Amino acid sequence: MLLPYMKEVVLEAGCDEAGRGCLAGAVFAAAVILPPDFRNEILNDSKQLSEKQRYALRPIIEKEALGWAVGIVSPEEIDRINILNASFLAMHRAIEQLPVKPQHLLIDGNRFKPYPDIPHTCVIKGDGKYEAIAAASILAKTYRDDYMNRLHEEYPLYDWISNKGYPTKAHRAAIAQYGPTPYHRRSFQLLDRQLSIF
């Protein structure tokens, strides 16, 4: 069962990212402040939910949250500053867009670049422990999936509608056959060592 908050007396935002391990596309992050009395039996780490459940939960989270926002860092920025810093930047962009300023941040993972004037706590596998992080994981995942579905229409050969930019065998084979797109992260190893771009 997910915990509603870590610090009961402060306004707390959960933060999580999506797309960090992908070969293509932007990295997305979300920040969510839930009311203390928020309860939802389905809410969980987005990876534990079906696509249908994630999309059903998104409007509920957006309606009931005290504040929510999504931050995006482009593939070009990822290549310039590296994926770890890009993940932090996406979270910072989400936090700065929140309509109310949180007093504490719950960060999914074990590392974070401190956000100015707001203390934070990193929680390993936090999306399976705290409601606000789980909610953030759902928003980050669904908004990124929407984005990759749009990119799929532009570049259907890479099957992004199915793999969402992750390094599946079919995705790597398409890169080998057709080369990288403008949305591929050039700083990543796009191909298995057995494959080469002709």
Side-chain angles (χ1 to χ4, degrees):
M1 185 173 167
L2 300 179
L3 298 170
Y5 39 69
M6 178 178 280
K7 298 181 183 293
E8 187 174 354
V9 294
V10 302
L11 202 60
E12 204 166 58
C15 302
D16 199 6
E17 53 75 29
R20 187 166 159 177
C22 295
L23 301 180
V27 64
F28 278 55
V32 178
I33 303 171
L34 293 175
D37 59 350
F38 180 87
R39 295 293 176 273
N40 187 290
E41 291 181 1
I42 303 171
L43 182 66
N44 201 348
D45 166 13
S46 65
K47 295 183 288 297
Q48 303 298 320
L49 300 173
S50 68
E51 182 179 40
K52 185 177 180 180
Q53 287 174 317
R54 288 193 293 267
Y55 278 98
L57 279 166
R58 186 167 87 179
I60 296 170
I61 294 165
E62 292 175 352
K63 181 183 177 184
E64 297 194 27
L66 300 176
W68 66 272
V70 175
I72 304 168
V73 176
S74 70
E76 296 81 9
E77 290 176 296
I78 292 168
D79 287 339
R80 194 164 64 246
I81 65 176
N82 80 46
I83 187 60
L84 181 64
N85 286 319
S87 298
F88 297 157
L89 179 57
M91 287 189 191
H92 280 220
R93 286 178 176 170
I95 295 161
E96 70 190 14
Q97 293 178 73
L98 286 170
V100 288
K101 183 179 178 179
Q103 298 164 300
H104 182 245
L105 303 172
L106 280 176
I107 308 296
D108 184 61
N110 62 354
R111 298 170 71 183
F112 184 62
K113 182 180 179 182
Y115 188 87
D117 303 322
I118 306 177
H120 72 271
T121 303
C122 292
V123 185
I124 296 171
K125 297 184 178 178
D127 46 4
K129 296 175 181 174
Y130 288 95
E131 290 178 346
I133 303 180
S137 78
I138 289 163
L139 296 194
K141 170 69 174 162
T142 55
Y143 277 100
R144 189 178 188 281
D145 283 358
D146 290 347
Y147 157 84
M148 291 306 298
N149 292 344
R150 290 193 299 272
L151 296 192
H152 171 80
E153 294 176 11
E154 195 175 341
Y155 289 95
L157 296 171
Y158 300 84
D159 197 30
W160 289 336
I161 199 161
S162 298
N163 62 51
K164 303 299 188 268
Y166 282 92
T168 62
K169 193 173 181 180
H171 187 185
R172 289 196 192 272
I175 298 169
Q177 185 171 356
Y178 306 111
T181 70
Y183 298 108
H184 278 99
R185 302 171 184 177
R186 303 307 175 104
S187 57
F188 280 49
Q189 184 185 329
L190 297 178
L191 295 176
D192 285 328
R193 303 209 183 274
Q194 298 94 316
L195 298 173
S196 59
I197 298 177
F198 299 102

